[in-house]
Amino acid sequence: MRTALTKRDIGHLFRLIRQYAGVSQTRIGVAVGFSQGKVSEYMKDKAQVTALDVFERIAEGLGMPDPARMTLGLAPRVLTDVPLPPTPIPTRDGTPASGLLKVEQVVVGSRQPDDACDVDVLTLAWIVGRLDGHMDRRTMLLLAAGLTAESAASIANPWERLTLALTGSRADQEDTVERLEARTIGFHRLEEVMPARSLYQGLTAHLNELSTLLQAGLPDRLRRRLAATTGEAAVLASWIAWEIKQPRQSTAFDRIAALAAQESGHSIIQACTYGYRSYAVRGAPAVQNIRLAQQYLPAQGDNATRAWLLAREAEELASLGDRQALIRLEQAKDAYGDARPQRERAWTRFLDPGRMAAYRLSTYEHLGDEQRVIDEGQAALNALSHETDHKKIAAVYADIAAAQLRIGDLNEGIVSGRLALETAQRTESRWAFQQLAGVENALTGKRDATARELLLAINSAHRSLSQSTA
């Protein structure tokens, strides 16, 4: 944005507003006094603004703050050398969003379970859901830190938007559905980098909005779209409820997902439900859930979901000592080669080369192929981002540690085990802690003092997690 303003590139400015604020060309035109066609010309770089009074009209119409006006070459509206402090968005308990979402608090999970920040997380999820590419941890934290009243002034209150959609025109309804779809994607992305309990309240508020709008008598096309995004949100809510040990709520969200799958005609939502359920159990029950999930896959397409389920099946078959796991790994590799995880489904955005490498690693670890574990472990670590993939990294280090301990490399196994534990603690992820089971088994019975110390630390961390998520 700073570059666009410095160069006085209004086309670039409008494109950024369209991309990150979701504002249509018509609405931009109304704000700045242009026709929709003229806005389109600027956005396509077919026309340029050169007149000072037009720049002034644009700045006024968009409500630019003084720093932006001055970057554009205009005088500030407030002629003072004393900058006004930004007013943070209030939450239900009055705590500013920027206070609730400090950089390290988001990552290490120092916030309390009863923090009420659903409005802030709703806004953050919507913004993140509109990003075209992969969202790294740094981007999310910068967005969270920037949630001030000024920066969110153009984002209408969600319930006001909902009221408008219920009573307004078809365009209002379409705009609202698009926003809710983006926010569902955003929640799935945030789940990768934020502790589950930090998202739960905001996600349930999001589902309440979806449920309310579904009862509003929308046109069939919009209703099916809304039902699909409700299902995508519900499967994530079920997973998060399981993570924070709320089994009844998890089951209730599963029922919502099933109804949404039927209403929308997207039966693949049920595939995601059973895929997530497979993480709650191990071995044969997990394989059963995965195969139930595969029954909801279409004959063609949705290759990212297909690759995920095949990789999960390989992982669980390997835990049973079944060499068919290697065949499933190859099938998963082929499906992933044809997949577009960032485009297919809200839940497939987690799937990337790092996660696929982690599935291979886990499969070889279960099959007892220590050398392949070491090789694949390094490949997995190289493919993962140490800025964003804390949950995946915890699992990778756990598998490497278990293999090292089994082949008698005690010192290296303990080092890897400690890294796995430290990373799992930062995520507060129940799933990440489950991956430490192999390390615990390998440490049990070891007489070495450092091995016993690590085992006690893992057990203590399990107890702490149980208390914090209860």
Side-chain angles (χ1 to χ4, degrees), residues 66-67 70 75-85:
D66 282 350
M70 290 186 288
R77 296 195 56 164
V78 180
L79 298 175
T80 175
D81 293 331
V82 181
L84 295 175

Side-chain angles (χ1 to χ4, degrees), residues 81-409:
D81 293 331
V82 181
L84 295 175
T87 304
I89 298 174
T91 57
R92 289 181 180 176
D93 64 355
T95 306
S98 55
L100 290 173
L101 291 171
K102 289 184 186 296
V103 172
E104 288 309 311
Q105 285 181 338
V106 170
V107 179
V108 305
S110 61
R111 292 166 52 199
Q112 296 303 309
D114 59 349
D115 281 336
C117 61
D118 55 322
V119 174
D120 308 305
V121 175
L122 287 169
T123 303
L124 181 61
W126 173 69
I127 296 171
V128 167
R130 293 193 60 82
L131 299 178
D132 289 334
H134 180 71
M135 184 206 67
D136 61 25
R137 169 175 165 268
R138 186 182 303 277
T139 299
M140 186 275 291
L141 295 173
L142 289 171
L143 288 170
L147 284 181
T148 63
E150 282 77 10
S151 66
S154 63
I155 303 175
N157 177 281
W159 288 103
E160 290 177 1
R161 288 203 311 272
L162 199 61
T163 301
L164 183 63
L166 297 177
T167 60
S169 66
R170 183 72 62 86
D172 295 327
Q173 294 172 342
E174 179 118 21
D175 181 65
T176 299
V177 171
E178 287 180 0
R179 285 174 175 269
L180 293 170
E181 288 171 335
R183 198 162 33 164
T184 297
I185 292 170
F187 272 113
H188 276 271
R189 284 177 160 173
L190 289 176
E191 189 275 334
E192 298 180 54
V193 292
M194 289 179 68
R197 59 191 174 88
S198 301
L199 294 177
Y200 188 63
Q201 186 174 352
L203 183 54
T204 53
H206 175 54
L207 277 164
N208 284 337
E209 286 188 52
L210 290 166
S211 299
T212 301
L213 192 53
L214 272 173
Q215 301 171 38
L218 294 174
D220 286 346
R221 180 180 63 83
L222 291 180
R223 181 177 175 79
R224 285 193 296 272
R225 280 175 55 188
L226 197 66
T229 201
T230 299
E232 292 174 338
V235 292
L236 179 62
S238 175
W239 167 258
I240 288 178
W242 175 79
E243 281 260 64
I244 62 175
K245 296 192 174 181
Q246 299 289 338
R248 285 190 297 178
Q249 284 88 337
S250 180
T251 301
F253 287 129
D254 279 347
R255 288 196 294 268
I256 294 172
L259 290 172
Q262 182 178 6
E263 180 75 18
S264 66
H266 290 256
S267 60
I268 193 172
I269 292 169
Q270 288 286 78
C272 183
T273 296
Y274 284 109
Y276 282 168
R277 283 184 189 176
S278 73
Y279 288 102
V281 288
R282 290 293 186 188
V287 172
Q288 182 180 11
N289 275 309
I290 294 163
R291 289 177 176 171
L292 282 170
Q294 290 166 337
Q295 293 177 15
Y296 291 97
L297 288 171
Q300 299 292 330
D302 281 292
N303 288 305
T305 303
R306 194 182 311 277
W308 166 45
L309 294 175
L310 285 167
R312 279 288 295 130
E313 187 179 5
E315 189 175 41
E316 295 298 339
L317 286 174
S319 74
L320 298 170
D322 189 337
R323 304 292 294 184
Q324 288 287 317
L326 298 176
I327 297 175
R328 295 294 179 270
L329 267 189
E330 283 301 309
Q331 292 172 337
K333 178 182 176 182
D334 291 341
Y336 183 72
D338 296 326
R340 299 176 65 202
Q342 295 298 315
R343 298 292 181 186
E344 290 182 19
R345 300 286 171 175
W347 63 76
T348 60
R349 283 160 169 78
F350 81 96
L351 197 64
D352 55 24
R355 179 59 66 91
M356 293 300 293
Y359 283 130
R360 291 196 301 272
L361 168 65
S362 178
T363 300
Y364 290 125
E365 192 275 322
H366 287 311
L367 290 175
D369 190 337
E370 285 87 2
Q371 187 54 51
R372 290 297 295 270
V373 167
I374 303 304
D375 294 341
E376 291 291 344
Q378 190 56 55
L381 289 174
N382 290 340
L384 293 172
S385 166
H386 288 255
E387 283 292 320
T388 63
D389 298 320
H390 299 295
K391 295 180 183 180
K392 303 174 194 175
I393 288 171
V396 169
Y397 277 129
D399 286 333
I400 293 174
Q404 288 171 328
L405 290 168
R406 270 204 298 268
I407 63 177
D409 194 346

